[in-house]
Amino acid sequence: MRPVRLMKVFVTRRIPPEGRAALARAADCEVEQWDSDEPIPAKELERGVAGAHGLLCLLTDHVDKRLLDAAGANLKVISTMSVGVDHLALEEIKKRGIRVGYTPDVLTDATAELAMSLLLTTCRRLPEAIEEVRNGGWTSWKPLWMCGYGLTQSTVGIIGLGRIGQAIARRLKPFGIQRFLYTGRQPRPQEAAEFQAEFVSTPKLAAESDFIIVACSLTPATKGLCNKDFFQQMKTTAVFINISRGDVVNQDDLYEALASGQIAAAGLDVTTPEPLPTNHPLLTLKNCVILPHIGSATYGTRNTMSLLAANNLLAGLRGEPMPSELKL
């Protein structure tokens, strides 16, 4: 009896246990993993992917033409443990007939929760308040000390009313938001109806919103969307939140807007680059809250993401429908 030829799978990082277990149970695969919580160096990635039939990667792994060439003709499936795919050279992947799996939906709630946390943390100045308690700045109750901005009766602008944008709006409604605005590629009347959200131009959203939340995908159209012109159109009392991708924002322009008082505050869960250098000017500002890209960072969500990524990979290798395939 001829021995069954195993399909080689390369995993670019340690992944949560549920995904790891699914791969371990796959008797038709030989799995090699970069055994670290830190990103794999480019040379090691090229070595590991050589001859692989399947690649399970993260959003920090740049899958470009060079890496695809290093992988060779065996590569049939790329499964990314992310909803974003801007790290993948999709045109090149499509040319080679490689299938792509990704993990939408499963991180929507966790990311929306984080967006709410970041919004409230920023607009109510919580890091500053905590620091004042620690350094002795809290001397007595003062009428205007540590005042921030409340959500009740406010106008909220959401850039990108997709799954995550809708989940954020749904969580914001009970806070008594007076008006929702949104912008994107096109109006989404069915989705917007739940919030009575109004589709407007980007300049109108910038000018009329008290709070702006960026929840769009990174595309050529959205890269650098939030720039000097955008910030100059915002209210001086407005708060800006980005949970999408760092490249949607021109960070030099954001720094100027914050430092000059053009806008009140900003909260970022994503930056360019990641991690942000510790000497970056944005980190010198009290009115800028920066988190280390933890939108989906709950134990349950990351486990579910890893399992979906593993199941996408295995289904693709076996020529079956993927649970979540990106149609190229």
Side-chain angles (χ1 to χ4, degrees):
M1 188 173 171
R2 176 183 277 173
V4 177
R5 189 171 169 214
L6 297 177
M7 293 178 284
K8 178 184 173 182
V9 168
F10 189 73
V11 183
T12 65
R13 196 88 62 90
R14 286 182 198 140
I15 60 172
E18 289 187 23
R20 209 162 56 233
L23 293 176
R25 289 192 298 268
D28 51 352
C29 293
E30 179 184 16
V31 180
E32 183 184 344
Q33 175 186 274
W34 176 249
D35 192 21
S36 172
D37 291 325
E38 297 302 320
I40 183 171
K43 286 292 180 192
E44 288 296 325
L45 180 53
E46 288 176 19
R47 181 203 60 76
V49 81
H53 299 83
L55 172 67
L56 196 157
C57 65
L58 277 61
L59 55 82
T60 50
D61 303 312
H62 294 285
V63 181
D64 53 15
K65 183 178 184 300
R66 177 172 171 163
L67 186 66
L68 294 168
D69 287 342
N74 279 349
L75 189 62
K76 300 295 180 231
V77 184
I78 296 169
S79 179
T80 181
M81 194 179 128
S82 65
V83 63
V85 292
D86 46 282
H87 56 300
L88 306 179
L90 294 178
E91 285 303 316
E92 191 66 33
I93 289 166
K94 182 180 179 179
K95 253 193 274 182
R96 298 174 190 231
I98 298 169
R99 296 172 68 185
V100 174
Y102 69 135
T103 60
D105 300 322
V106 296
L107 48 68
T108 298
D109 288 333
T111 306
E113 288 171 7
L114 190 280
M116 290 297 304
S117 304
L118 183 55
L119 173 60
L120 290 167
T121 296
T122 305
C123 73
R124 294 300 300 270
R125 302 172 63 186
L126 299 192
E128 286 181 76
I130 292 166
E131 184 56 30
E132 290 295 279
V133 173
R134 291 179 184 279
N135 68 19
W138 181 18
T139 55
S140 70
W141 189 90
K142 305 164 196 170
L144 291 176
W145 185 62
M146 293 309 306
C147 283
Y149 297 95
L151 295 170
T152 306
Q153 294 298 302
S154 68
T155 296
V156 173
I158 299 177
I159 299 177
L161 198 66
R163 287 180 293 261
I164 293 172
Q166 291 167 54
I168 293 168
R170 204 165 287 125
R171 285 159 173 77
L172 278 168
K173 271 182 78 173
F175 283 85
I177 304 304
Q178 185 175 61
R179 185 178 175 220
F180 283 103
L181 307 176
Y182 76 101
T183 189
R185 283 191 297 267
Q186 59 197 22
R188 307 188 69 163
Q190 280 186 302
E191 292 85 350
E194 181 183 347
F195 321 105
Q196 291 84 52
E198 181 186 346
F199 183 74
V200 296
S201 67
T202 301
K204 184 177 173 72
L205 182 142
E208 298 187 11
S209 298
D210 299 302
F211 303 95
I212 293 173
I213 302 169
V214 183
C216 59
S217 301
L218 176 62
T219 67
T222 61
K223 186 170 184 177
L225 176 70
C226 301
N227 57 16
K228 184 177 181 178
D229 290 343
F230 181 92
F231 296 126
Q232 285 181 340
Q233 289 160 346
M234 286 174 62
K235 299 177 182 181
T236 56
T237 53
V239 174
F240 176 83
I241 303 294
N242 184 18
I243 52 94
S244 63
R245 286 290 185 267
D247 277 338
V248 175
V249 178
N250 182 311
Q251 288 179 173
D252 291 339
D253 293 347
L254 176 60
Y255 173 82
E256 290 301 325
L258 289 166
S260 67
Q262 176 65 50
I263 67 173
L268 311 174
D269 185 44
V270 287
T271 60
T272 303
E274 292 182 359
L276 195 67
T278 55
N279 63 351
H280 194 282
L282 284 172
L283 293 172
T284 66
L285 301 174
K286 286 187 176 181
N287 58 345
C288 188
V289 178
I290 300 178
L291 302 179
H293 201 154
I294 55 170
S296 64
T298 69
Y299 290 112
T301 298
R302 291 284 171 84
N303 258 307
T304 304
M305 288 172 69
S306 73
L307 180 59
L308 179 54
N311 286 337
N312 281 336
L313 183 79
L314 295 172
L317 288 172
R318 293 163 183 165
E320 300 167 356
M322 288 185 189
S324 291
E325 182 167 4
L326 184 70
K327 300 300 181 187
L328 299 179

